[in-house]
Amino acid sequence: MLFPTHLLAAASLSRVTRLPATWLVVGAAVPDLVDKPLGVLGVTALFHSVGHSLVLAVVVVPIALSGRAGLAVATGWASHLALDVTHVVVNGRPADALFAFWPLISPPDPLGLPPGAFVGYYLGSPAFFIEVAVWTTLAAVALRSRLRARRADAG
């Protein structure tokens, strides 16, 4: 999943969960803000490691229990992981979903592409077309909502 889609999905969750959108987006950003630099710098061999690991739940659960903002951060983080797991499975690499258990279990044959190369790989994949459909749907919903608001203001 591309980074902006994680942020959009988290912001969209605020309408359903009534949690603060800002904190949902912060939580959704954390996995990539932690892992991409670690991968680029060669600290880890995977671009899905520390921030994308369910082992991090030992930190995330207490944050979730700290209040609405903490629950929103934890929900945003969980949405990021769920979308990334879904995307690797849809793209025919279900074993790559083992990243969620890093460092306890690692994917047997990880893709291991840096962010720039990943974008090239991702364009044209099945998950990419799902992502385009999500963006198109959300744009249509936003446009429809804006048109309704204009009609209500005019009438």
Side-chain angles (χ1 to χ4, degrees):
M1 222 23 80
L2 299 176
F3 185 69
T5 303
H6 287 296
L7 305 182
L8 178 68
S12 298
L13 273 175
S14 70
R15 295 188 76 155
V16 176
T17 63
R18 303 285 188 224
L19 291 170
T22 301
W23 291 113
L24 282 160
V25 170
V26 167
V30 166
D32 284 346
L33 294 178
V34 170
D35 288 348
K36 299 313 181 216
L38 292 176
V40 167
L41 295 172
V43 175
T44 62
L46 300 173
F47 289 89
H48 287 141
S49 59
V50 179
H52 287 80
S53 178
L54 290 170
V55 174
L56 198 59
V58 300
V59 173
V60 174
V61 169
I63 290 171
L65 297 173
S66 70
R68 285 185 53 76
L71 179 59
V73 168
T75 302
W77 172 78
S79 75
H80 185 118
L81 269 60
L83 288 172
D84 277 357
V85 165
T86 301
H87 127 258
V88 297
V89 170
V90 165
N91 280 343
R93 299 183 58 89
D96 282 359
L98 291 172
F99 72 75
F101 300 100
W102 185 92
L104 305 173
I105 304 171
S106 288
D109 183 26
L111 199 53
L113 295 173
F118 171 78
V119 171
Y121 160 81
Y122 190 57
L123 295 176
S125 70
F128 173 74
F129 291 109
I130 293 171
E131 200 163 339
V132 167
V134 167
W135 277 89
T136 303
T137 301
L138 290 174
V141 168
L143 181 61
R144 185 172 150 197
S145 177
R146 179 169 276 164
L147 290 174
R148 280 186 183 170
R150 281 188 184 166
R151 279 191 226 130
D153 289 343

